[in-house]
Amino acid sequence: MKFDSLIKGGIVVLPGHGPVRADLGCRAGRIAAIADDLSTASSDDVVDARGLYVFPGAVDSHFHVGIYRPHAEDARSESLSAVSGGVTTLISYFRTGHHYLNKTGPYREIFPEVLELSKGNFHTDYGYHIAPMTTAQLDEIPWLVEQGVASFKYYMFYKALTLSADSTKGKDYTMADEYDLGHLYEIMVRVAEASRRTGRRISLSLHCENPEIIRVFIQRVKAAGLTGLQAYSEGRPPLSERLSIQEAGVLADETSCPVNFLHLSSRKAIEAGVDVRTRHPEMDITIETTLHHLALTWATAGDLRSKVNPPIRTQDDQDALWRALMKGQIDTVVSDHACCMEENKKGDTWSALPGFGGTSLLYPVLLSEGVHKRGLPLERVVDLLSTTPARRFGLFPRKGAIAIGSDADFALIDLEKEQAVTVENSHSAQDHTPFAGKSLKGWPVATVLRGRLAFKDGTAVGDRRGAFVARPV
Ligand SMILES: [Zn+2]
């Protein structure tokens, strides 16, 4: 039996099972054989995995390509950062309005443009979540599902922009008309309907922060004269997440809409997410957190370059996230990667742009802080970074699995490699990183996309082969 390539001599971390000594034979981009010993003569392309753990490629299901920089350029540089860290599929959020392509209009015109800007520019496979911002875009949801969009987004805190005294400025930002809980209800009805019609999980992702609470807490923090990351966290307090999750939970229950609570950052947020799930066991809920909320606190994250929404929190919040993760209450860990240059972080506490990159650190953070420090089993890392995001976002079993017929996407990892994070080893265009100097143990040393090396020894291998994946697969 001949293979296009062979991953030889590694310890394969099988999803749902754990580490097993095995070789992997790949053909036509897919896994064709899993065996304890495949002959090196069976392929002309043998990847030596001796001493390494072979994980499925990570599915980074929360990414922002092109939010602050030109789309194609950002796709090239930031998907390189992703593939350097063992990510083989990323799903990026896109919306009309300010930032991104800085315009509004029908997705029937704008989505093909996004796909055109993406073509040939990704080192990883990729997909898009789409945010219906205007009333007119609501009716495009069924069409978007036909185009391979299996997940949508609503931002709970943008409501303030249409409610603020200076409503023209708000509407300039979202380029939306009625962006409120009514609009959210209308999205949920349509997403739930698409889910029923297709018999597949079509879901709505929610950025859960409440704008009215943020408004008065920012006033309080400003009056107290506070600035910096602590002030930013207190100005957008965990209460705002808690309230917003409960509001979204009520509407999701009413509409039977599958939902994803994004980037829960605090003890109160996790408790609220778990509460909604416990009270409504029939609801379809994904609870997501980020690697930066697991790895940083406002006391350790430095200056405003680490500003992000929701904010970096306290040690107590971080401890609560880890407890929830170890108990299995958190389903996915993502980067929420948004390349944001240092010059965009120059304003004050309130005007500096939010967001930063971190996709290359998904495996290192979970292996170092989870496996080595807390005894998290390797197969749980696979669940959190690959299998569960693939299942929840319509990619499974093509992605997120190490099984015959699945895409041959792998992260080859040296569990004992220890090094500090630097701008250089992040392989991103971003000229700073909030994780700089943080020492982590457990690093990807090579990444395989559909059977062929895509990254090795600190550099990309071959052409950019990333392709759009229409979901559900
Ligand atoms: Zn995000």
Side-chain angles (χ1 to χ4, degrees):
M1 193 185 276
K2 244 346 206 178
F3 301 111
D4 298 340
S5 63
L6 184 61
I7 317 295
K8 177 83 186 153
I11 297 170
V12 178
V13 186
L14 290 174
H17 185 96
V20 175
R21 223 323 280 132
D23 295 339
L24 299 157
C26 314
R27 199 182 294 125
R30 301 192 169 201
I31 300 170
I34 306 171
D36 58 353
D37 188 23
L38 294 170
S39 162
T40 48
S42 64
S43 179
D44 300 330
D45 181 5
V46 179
V47 177
D48 184 2
R50 282 173 299 173
L52 301 175
Y53 283 74
V54 182
F55 284 74
V59 174
D60 191 352
S61 61
H62 191 155
F63 214 99
H64 296 273
V65 171
I67 182 170
Y68 300 134
R69 303 168 68 239
H71 197 95
E73 181 185 338
D74 209 40
R76 288 193 289 272
S77 63
E78 303 319 296
S79 68
L80 176 67
S81 182
V83 80
S84 79
V87 174
T88 49
T89 308
L90 61 84
I91 315 176
S92 193
Y93 284 95
F94 182 84
R95 61 163 172 75
T96 52
H98 193 49
H99 295 312
Y100 295 102
L101 298 183
N102 215 7
K103 63 178 178 185
T104 187
Y107 277 118
R108 279 173 193 275
E109 287 166 20
I110 293 176
F111 189 57
E113 187 180 342
V114 171
L115 292 183
E116 198 50 42
L117 288 168
S118 305
K119 211 176 263 174
N121 288 320
F122 278 83
H123 291 271
T124 60
D125 284 348
Y126 58 93
Y128 287 100
H129 317 272
I130 298 290
M133 302 302 291
T134 67
T135 306
Q137 289 168 356
L138 289 171
D139 291 331
E140 296 190 289
I141 288 174
W143 178 81
L144 283 163
V145 172
E146 284 169 22
Q147 308 310 304
V149 175
S151 40
F152 296 84
K153 184 170 186 181
Y154 180 79
Y155 303 75
M156 301 287 284
F157 76 103
Y158 282 170
K159 181 169 61 167
L161 296 172
T162 44
L163 292 179
S164 70
D166 186 6
S167 68
T168 47
K169 187 173 156 216
K171 288 187 180 183
D172 277 353
Y173 192 86
T174 57
M175 300 182 194
D177 37 17
E178 302 293 346
Y179 203 81
D180 58 10
L181 291 180
H183 185 67
L184 171 58
Y185 180 83
E186 294 289 8
I187 295 173
M188 283 185 169
V189 166
R190 286 159 176 80
V191 171
E193 160 60 20
S195 213
R196 272 193 298 275
R197 196 178 57 245
T198 57
R200 302 293 299 274
R201 186 177 197 267
I202 310 296
S203 63
L204 181 66
S205 293
L206 293 146
H207 180 128
C208 293
E209 289 188 282
N210 177 285
E212 292 104 325
I213 295 297
I214 291 174
R215 176 175 60 81
V216 294
F217 274 74
I218 288 180
Q219 280 169 7
R220 284 165 173 243
V221 169
K222 282 183 174 170
L226 295 174
T227 58
L229 291 182
Q230 178 181 1
Y232 196 66
S233 175
E234 290 174 5
R236 302 175 76 104
L239 164 62
S240 125
E241 290 186 276
R242 177 185 174 190
L243 179 59
S244 184
I245 289 164
Q246 294 289 359
E247 283 182 324
V250 170
L251 294 179
D253 179 48
E254 285 281 334
T255 55
S256 302
C257 181
V259 287
N260 315 303
F261 293 140
L262 301 188
H263 48 45
L264 302 195
S265 71
S266 61
R267 182 173 55 77
K268 286 185 184 181
I270 285 291
E271 284 172 0
V274 171
D275 178 60
V276 173
R277 180 184 267 166
T278 308
R279 281 189 291 113
H280 303 283
E282 75 289 358
M283 278 175 65
D284 181 344
I285 298 171
T286 304
I287 294 182
E288 172 194 288
T289 193
T290 75
L291 69 101
H292 46 269
H293 290 110
L294 290 169
L296 303 172
T297 66
W298 56 248
T300 63
D303 54 30
L304 284 173
R305 288 175 297 182
S306 306
K307 174 175 162 177
V308 64
N309 295 332
I312 300 296
R313 303 294 191 188
T314 65
Q315 188 64 54
D316 174 63
D317 290 305
Q318 191 189 97
D319 292 344
L321 293 183
W322 275 110
R323 269 198 308 278
L325 184 147
M326 297 302 290
K327 275 199 270 186
Q329 292 172 330
I330 287 173
D331 302 303
T332 63
V333 177
V334 299
S335 69
D336 194 2
H337 188 102
C339 179
C340 186
M341 307 300 273
E342 192 158 356
E343 63 172 351
N344 293 324
K345 298 282 193 179
K346 288 250 165 69
D348 68 13
T349 304
W350 314 106
S351 66
L353 286 180
F356 50 76
T359 186
S360 61
L361 302 176
L362 282 170
Y363 271 119
V365 163
L366 277 189
L367 294 171
S368 190
E369 309 290 303
V371 173
H372 288 301
K373 242 182 229 171
R374 294 176 172 86
L376 184 71
L378 294 176
E379 57 271 28
R380 287 278 300 128
V381 175
V382 167
D383 271 346
L384 290 160
L385 296 186
S386 183
T387 308
T388 304
R391 281 185 190 280
R392 299 296 167 96
F393 292 103
L395 290 164
F396 192 84
R398 185 171 155 195
K399 306 290 187 185
I402 295 184
I404 305 296
S406 294
D407 280 2
D409 296 342
F410 310 111
L412 275 57
I413 291 179
D414 180 348
L415 272 189
E416 301 306 315
K417 179 176 178 176
E418 196 165 359
Q419 67 179 6
V421 180
T422 64
V423 170
E424 293 70 34
N425 66 26
S426 301
H427 302 285
S428 158
Q430 192 175 278
D431 50 3
H432 65 98
T433 167
F435 305 93
K438 191 169 178 65
S439 183
L440 297 171
K441 185 176 173 183
W443 287 81
V445 295
T447 305
V448 173
L449 176 69
R450 284 181 270 111
R452 283 158 57 200
L453 277 172
F455 195 91
K456 189 174 187 283
D457 298 332
T459 180
V461 180
D463 300 335
R464 286 183 295 267
R465 290 184 288 115
F468 175 69
V469 185
R471 302 172 296 128
V473 294

